[in-house]
Amino acid sequence: MPRSSFLDDLLGPTAPEPVPVDWDAVESWLGVGLPADYKTLAAYGPLDIGDFVWLHTPCAQEGGFDYGSWLKATHRSCRIGSRGVPPHEPPVFWPEPGGLLALGDTRATSCLFWDTSASDDPDAWPVVIFHKDAVYRGVNPWHSYGMPLAETLVALVREGLPLPGGGTLGPLPATARRTAFLTEARAWTPPSRSDDAAAQARRRAALTEGEGLEALRILLPPPAQPHLGDADWPWLYEQLGTRLPAEYVTLMETYGGSAWLGWLQLATPLDTGRSGLVAEQWYRDAYRGLRADFPQYHPLPVWPEKGGFLPFASTIDGDQICWLTEGDDPDDWPLIVVPRHADQGGPLPMGLTDTLLEWLRGRFRWEGFPGLDVDDDPLEFIRLETFG
């Protein structure tokens, strides 16, 4: 498609280096065709328009951006943000038929979408904005501009556009430059579809069927060689001054040291170095110090005190997952979360395996454990990173 005069004005004499896009592959993955005016702009890679609007394109940058992940994260964030304000029912998002499809965002953290339900012709899709400031004011954050992308950008640059809840977006300088945080953008390859339909069906079924470690292994397949460390269990028990619950031993011999869903980190139990469970016991001394200074916020005893907590896992938020060492039999110890950013709660209602299983299923709600949104697909979030 030849460049329009408006596009010439935006890009200027030194247009960014084009970033290759396999449009057939991208549109096949999306399940819809994309507007021609977007493709014309997107050929030049991610753009910063008017120094305020980021037009995202099918590209990737190591450690910085992935087009498919950005789409999903943007849709989820705006869906969740819509619930607390009128009309309280989030709109439909891609990949649902007729769902909103993100195309960019602004430096004010608002997001731009196409309304794919408006027409069978992608070139006629109007641009819709989700304005996060409107959420903070308690008003409807959604507004359709009723115009395709090119017309919306012309209005944005020349006159500005109204924002939900008041104010305007623009007018902006008629410039389009490579997005500053994506200077190394490269071609993006859509993720492959799973060829193992039977395995996916089993995982889907395990969201509601089965119990215990068997169901957990289906939802989160363990590594072929779990990393436990170079020591043995008797060594660990001697270091800690107690044996540990058999359920934990079985779980660790199945998964080893690992990070679950990018949030929960199970220390490598038999590692004698800085990554091992023994090294993780630093938290007990830290808690004792906090308890001495702020007892009202740190009410728990600490192992080896009677009934004291013994940590065995942590989160990226700084929470500690622990046993309460109540009684002589470790297999009867309840779990407890020692939260970093909340008041201390009570013991968890289930054992370790059942707690993890219900959490992966998106059905576990407890202080310290992040819950899924009601419209989230748990399978999109379940992943394992192994240590060692």
Side-chain angles (χ1 to χ4, degrees), residues 64 141 144 148 181 184 206 213 224 239 249 261 361 364:
S144 175
F181 60 86
E184 303 300 321
L213 186 60
Q239 296 296 311
V249 174
L261 283 61
R361 286 171 167 171
F364 187 71

Side-chain angles (χ1 to χ4, degrees), residues 180-218:
F181 60 86
L182 292 174
T183 56
E184 303 300 321
R186 54 177 172 75
W188 177 73
T189 301
S192 60
R193 306 292 185 184
S194 174
D195 294 328
D196 193 345
Q200 285 297 95
R202 287 193 298 272
R203 293 187 74 211
R204 181 71 57 188
L207 289 172
T208 56
E209 302 172 3
E211 58 187 29
L213 186 60
E214 181 179 357
L216 190 63
R217 289 173 61 99
I218 296 172

Side-chain angles (χ1 to χ4, degrees), residues 70-123:
W70 172 78
L71 278 181
K72 293 179 180 180
T74 300
H75 293 174
R76 182 176 189 262
S77 173
C78 293
R79 184 184 75 222
I80 293 173
S82 297
R83 286 213 171 85
V85 291
H88 298 289
E89 283 296 327
V92 176
F93 293 88
W94 173 91
E96 294 298 321
L100 296 177
L101 179 62
L103 64 96
D105 46 33
T106 77
R107 291 177 186 252
T109 67
S110 298
C111 301
L112 298 171
F113 297 81
W114 287 293
D115 180 0
T116 70
S117 70
S119 175
D120 292 333
D121 179 6
D123 292 335

